[in-house]
C-alpha cells in the first residue's frame, strides 16, 4: 500500500503563476485534508473534505481552492501564487472525521514562490 | 482563540533516559488529543490518541497522559534510543469535527 501520495515533491513558481498540487490515497478513507507547514507556525489546515462531494475551509483558506475529484483524490490549486505561499504542503486522510481517527500524511510538496 | 502549545522547541536527553514532552491547550476543552512523530523531509506519522476520560495510554515504550484540570498532555518515551530522535507534534480538535489543530512541535535529540 502506498498510503497517501503527493505530487510533485518540489516546485518553484514565479509570482502570479498557477499550479495544482495532487493528492491520492489508497486506504478508502472518507476524509481528506490539506495543511501547510511553516517554521515556527506548525501545521495549519487550509481546506478539508469530510466526504466525497464536500469541501470546507480550514484556518487559512485564502488564495487556495480545492477539488475532491472522487473518494481517492483531493487536489489543491493556487490560482495566482504569492511569495507568502512558499511553504511545505501536506495532504492527509482519515477513515472518519479527525475527531477520533488518526490522520495519515503524505510526504509533502515543497513549494517556493519567487 | 483555541490554542495548542508545545513549550519546548528542543529537548536533548541521554540514551536510556525517559524523555517527557509537554503539550498545553487553552481556551477550550478537547475530547481527544493526538500525538505524531515527524522526521526531517517526511510527513507526520500518527503515534497515539488519548480520550479525555482515559487519563493514560501506553504503546510499547510510549506513554501519554491527559490532565483536563491542568489542560495538559504529557508524552513519555522510556528507555530512549537515538532512533527516537525526531520532532513530536501534539494535536487536538478545534471547532468542527475535522479541524485538527497542531502544536509547533518539540524536536527531541537522543544522545548516544
Amino acid at each position: 500500500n502506498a498510503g497517501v501520495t503527493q505530487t510533485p515533491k518540489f516546485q518553484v513558481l514565479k509570482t502570479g503563476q498557477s499550479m495544482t498540487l495532487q493528492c491520492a490515497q489508497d486506504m478508502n478513507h472518507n476524509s481528506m485534508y490539506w495543511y501547510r507547514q511553516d517554521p515556527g507556525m506548525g501545521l495549519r489546515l487550509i481546506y478539508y473534505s469530510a466526504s466525497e462531494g464536500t469541501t470546507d475551509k480550514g484556518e487559512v483558506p485564502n488564495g487556495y481552492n480545492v477539488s475532491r475529484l472522487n473518494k481517492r483524490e483531493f487536489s489543491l490549486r493556487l490560482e495566482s501564487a504569492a511569495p507568502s505561499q512558499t511553504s511545505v504542503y501536506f495532504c492527509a486522510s482519515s477513515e472518519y472525521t479527525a475527531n477520533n481517527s488518526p490522520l495519515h500524511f503524505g510526504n509533502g510538496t515543497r513549494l517556493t514562490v519567487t | 482563540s483555541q490554542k495548542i502549545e508545545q513549550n519546548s522547541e528542543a529537548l536533548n536527553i541521554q540514551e536510556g533516559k525517559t524523555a517527557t514532552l509537554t503539550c498545553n491547550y487553552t481556551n477550550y476543552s478537547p475530547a481527544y488529543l493526538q500525538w505524531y512523530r515527524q522526521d526531517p523531509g517526511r510527513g507526520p506519522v500518527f503515534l497515539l490518541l488519548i480520550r479525555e476520560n482515559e487519563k493514560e495510554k501506553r504503546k510499547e515504550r510510549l506513554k501519554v497522559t491527559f490532565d483536563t484540570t491542568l489542560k495538559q498532555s504529557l508524552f513519555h518515551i522510556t528507555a530512549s534510543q537515538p532512533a527516537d530522535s525526531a520532532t513530536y507534534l501534539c494535536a487536538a480538535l478545534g471547532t468542527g469535527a475535522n479541524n485538527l489543530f497542531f502544536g509547533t512541535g518539540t524536536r527531541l535529540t537522543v544522545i548516544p
Side-chain angles (χ1 to χ4, degrees):
Chain A
N1 275 348
V4 177
T5 303
Q6 293 183 236
T7 55
K9 288 184 170 49
F10 300 92
Q11 184 71 48
V12 179
L13 290 177
K14 293 190 190 319
T15 297
Q17 287 184 319
S18 62
M19 81 160 294
T20 299
L21 282 64
Q22 307 286 355
C23 174
Q25 52 93 8
D26 62 4
M27 295 172 282
N28 202 36
H29 284 172
N30 291 298
S31 299
M32 297 185 74
Y33 314 81
W34 277 104
Y35 281 87
R36 60 178 287 174
Q37 187 174 40
D38 303 290
M41 299 290 290
L43 284 156
R44 292 181 292 168
L45 183 64
I46 304 171
Y47 270 94
Y48 65 92
S49 170
S51 60
E52 189 178 352
T54 69
T55 60
D56 283 287
K57 294 178 181 178
E59 186 185 354
V60 289
N62 291 345
Y64 305 95
N65 285 303
V66 290
S67 295
R68 182 76 183 265
L69 304 167
N70 47 55
K71 192 170 186 179
R72 288 186 66 247
E73 298 172 287
F74 189 38
S75 62
L76 178 72
R77 182 157 178 85
L78 286 70
E79 290 292 351
S80 179
S84 61
Q85 294 178 305
T86 293
S87 189
V88 181
Y89 291 86
F90 288 100
C91 177
S93 69
S94 64
E95 186 174 6
Y96 304 112
T97 64
N99 198 20
N100 58 7
S101 297
L103 268 59
H104 297 255
F105 284 85
N107 283 325
T109 294
R110 282 144 190 82
L111 175 66
T112 302
V113 183
T114 62
Chain B
S1 61
Q2 298 159 338
K3 262 186 168 181
I4 291 280
E5 291 177 313
Q6 294 182 255
N7 296 334
S8 299
E9 197 175 307
L11 178 66
N12 295 335
I13 63 164
Q14 210 68 38
E15 182 177 3
K17 301 290 187 187
T18 296
T20 298
L21 285 63
T22 305
C23 177
N24 297 295
Y25 54 93
T26 54
N27 296 329
Y28 74 130
S29 299
Y32 306 84
L33 277 168
Q34 301 183 24
W35 283 88
Y36 290 78
R37 169 185 173 139
Q38 187 174 23
D39 292 288
R42 313 281 286 184
V45 174
F46 171 77
L47 295 174
L48 282 166
L49 181 153
I50 185 166
R51 296 172 173 80
E52 62 179 342
N53 61 357
E54 288 185 313
K55 305 302 180 198
E56 178 181 302
K57 198 157 191 180
R58 293 174 185 261
K59 179 183 173 184
E60 297 171 355
R61 293 183 297 110
L62 309 180
K63 183 178 88 170
V64 172
T65 62
F66 193 167
D67 189 326
T68 55
T69 303
L70 294 177
K71 292 185 176 290
Q72 184 179 81
S73 175
L74 297 179
F75 178 82
H76 307 273
I77 306 175
T78 58
S80 59
Q81 305 165 0
D84 295 326
S85 297
T87 295
Y88 292 86
L89 309 171
C90 71
L93 209 63
T95 304
N98 275 296
N99 198 355
L100 198 65
F101 276 93
F102 282 81
T104 52
T106 296
R107 189 174 65 253
L108 174 69
T109 303
V110 180
I111 302 162

